[in-house]
Amino acid sequence: MTNGRLRGDICLLKASRASPTIPTSGCPPWRPDQLWTSPKVGALTPSPGALPLRVHLFGSFNISRAAATYFRTQETGSFVHMTSTAGLIGNFGQANYMSAKLGIVGLSRAIAMDMQRYGVRSNCIAPFAWSRMVSSIPTETEADKIRVAKLKRMTPEKIAPLVAFLGSDRATGISGQIFSVRNNEIYLFNQPRPVRSLHRGEGWTAESIADTLPDAFGPHFTPLERSADVISWDPV
């Protein structure tokens, strides 16, 4: 940090196709220290159901794989992957999109673990932002109009500072984490870990599990909630 400002060379790359090579146009002549994977739909022609997986998950994997070679050689670098609360928490009618976005979390963590020996970091952001993708939300009722007006406050510019921070030297030691930005709020998400266990010395049968597990584990089950149910308050 110099004169109160974060320093660091940043090369923001967007994949237009599931390509195993890094595009060079638009990148500075110096070495890239940060890779932001935010794939967009390009010249892909798979079945509609597979398209979100091809674009989001495979696109992120391919461009990350290509960048990893550069980061490993220079022994520094920061990946910032875009996931979604649709994958982290859930939503209706989005099985393919949810699968892709949760898969990105696994990809980011694998990169963080495998590349830490080379000084390379990898994190995820689940952004809340008004964009063309969500601009088709209906506004037929007054309640709809109020909701959309609140959503429009959450602009992409609110996401950029966290991306810049995670790519800077000030974020050294922060890797394998899942963040979210919602207007002026920044969240840190937990990650799956065992919360309860059962032990039976003589082993288990399907019947003994049925007799024991529901009561023992039931109070700790994760409810089938949408992200709007979990993060239900107005944007701050």
Side-chain angles (χ1 to χ4, degrees):
M1 192 166 185
T2 303
N3 297 327
R5 302 186 64 180
L6 293 170
R7 293 189 58 188
D9 299 334
I10 298 176
C11 178
L12 303 182
L13 306 177
K14 300 186 79 172
S16 60
R17 65 182 72 86
S19 170
T21 61
I22 289 184
T24 57
S25 60
C27 290
W30 55 85
R31 71 183 190 189
D33 287 333
Q34 180 179 16
L35 177 66
W36 164 45
T37 64
S38 181
K40 59 183 179 180
V41 176
L44 298 176
T45 56
S47 65
L51 186 60
L53 291 166
R54 290 283 300 274
V55 171
H56 296 285
L57 182 55
F58 298 167
S60 294
F61 172 85
N62 285 330
I63 197 169
S64 296
R65 177 63 186 86
T69 301
Y70 292 87
F71 286 175
R72 175 176 175 173
T73 300
Q74 67 191 26
E75 296 187 340
T76 185
S78 175
F79 292 87
V80 180
H81 303 273
M82 293 294 141
T83 182
S84 171
T85 55
L88 297 172
I89 300 173
N91 206 352
F92 296 128
Q94 292 187 317
N96 48 8
Y97 182 74
M98 287 173 60
S99 301
K101 286 300 188 178
L102 193 55
I104 289 174
V105 173
L107 169 65
S108 178
R109 189 160 183 87
I111 292 172
M113 297 180 72
D114 290 340
M115 298 291 287
Q116 62 181 326
R117 74 186 80 173
Y118 306 110
V120 176
R121 296 173 282 113
S122 180
N123 293 284
C124 284
I125 298 177
F128 286 82
W130 180 260
S131 67
R132 286 175 297 173
M133 189 174 72
V134 297
S135 62
S136 60
I137 294 176
T139 55
E140 299 174 356
T141 68
E142 190 62 29
D144 289 338
K145 294 178 181 179
I146 293 173
R147 175 170 173 257
V148 167
K150 292 175 181 177
L151 289 174
K152 286 183 176 180
R153 294 162 47 194
M154 299 184 289
T155 63
E157 289 79 4
K158 300 284 188 175
I159 316 298
L162 181 58
V163 176
F165 164 71
L166 291 174
S168 74
D169 292 341
R170 292 291 299 275
T172 297
I174 300 176
S175 191
Q177 304 306 309
I178 306 168
F179 300 94
S180 183
V181 179
R182 186 172 181 259
N183 204 38
N184 295 320
E185 301 168 287
I186 298 177
Y187 306 132
L188 174 66
F189 277 83
N190 63 2
Q191 300 186 47
R193 296 291 185 273
V195 294
R196 299 287 291 176
S197 66
L198 288 172
H199 170 76
R200 193 167 185 262
E202 59 271 33
W204 294 95
T205 64
E207 185 176 357
S208 63
I209 292 173
D211 291 338
T212 308
L213 186 145
D215 289 338
F217 284 179
H220 306 278
F221 286 162
T222 302
L224 295 174
E225 298 171 312
R226 302 171 302 155
S227 59
D229 299 323
V230 176
I231 306 174
S232 57
W233 57 92
D234 290 342
V236 176

